[in-house]
Amino acid sequence: MTLLPDALKVGVEVYSRDGHKLGELHCVVLRRRDLAATHIVVDIGFLRSGRPLWEGGLGLDYDRLVPVEAIAAVTDSRLELAMTAEDFKAAPEYTEESYENAHDVTSDEFD
């Protein structure tokens, strides 16, 4: 399934192949070279994180990084992954420090 970044709407609910709500689409990761979507970031939220408050659960990020190849279907209100909820739990955590924020690009950056 080839997806253009504008087909992915931030804030839509994300579900697993087995029907579990996993979270909401937080952002899309683009490859700088050609601006192709490579990953999505799913915010699973505090309640689905499974981390207790006494372990510092409040205020931490619980975003997960999922390759776009794992997207099975997309609508304006829902994104479904081709992975089970159990597989999703093993997805790596997303940290902003690992990625560069988007900025205005110039035409010579793609020569």
Side-chain angles (χ1 to χ4, degrees):
M1 167 183 245
T2 303
L3 287 172
L4 296 174
D6 63 345
L8 302 169
K9 308 292 185 211
V10 171
V12 299
E13 294 180 342
V14 178
Y15 287 85
S16 66
R17 174 179 75 198
D18 48 355
H20 295 278
K21 182 178 177 184
L22 303 173
E24 294 182 353
L25 181 62
H26 177 68
C27 65
V28 178
V29 177
L30 303 177
R31 184 174 41 232
R32 175 183 270 246
R33 177 173 29 100
D34 57 2
L35 299 180
T38 61
H39 292 78
I40 60 169
V41 178
V42 180
D43 181 357
I44 66 171
F46 174 70
L47 295 178
R48 287 182 291 278
S49 73
R51 293 186 186 175
L53 285 174
W54 60 84
E55 289 182 3
L58 192 59
L60 296 177
D61 292 328
Y62 298 105
D63 297 342
R64 293 284 184 267
L65 192 62
V66 178
V68 293
E69 294 82 17
I71 297 173
V74 177
T75 68
D76 284 341
S77 61
R78 182 181 173 114
L79 188 147
E80 187 173 322
L81 298 178
M83 59 175 46
T84 65
E86 200 60 37
D87 293 337
F88 177 78
K89 287 179 185 177
E93 285 190 27
Y94 167 80
T95 58
E96 287 188 11
E97 295 80 26
S98 301
Y99 296 87
E100 182 180 336
N101 284 330
H103 65 281
D104 291 335
V105 295
T106 60
S107 60
D108 61 333
E109 286 191 62
F110 296 100
D111 289 342

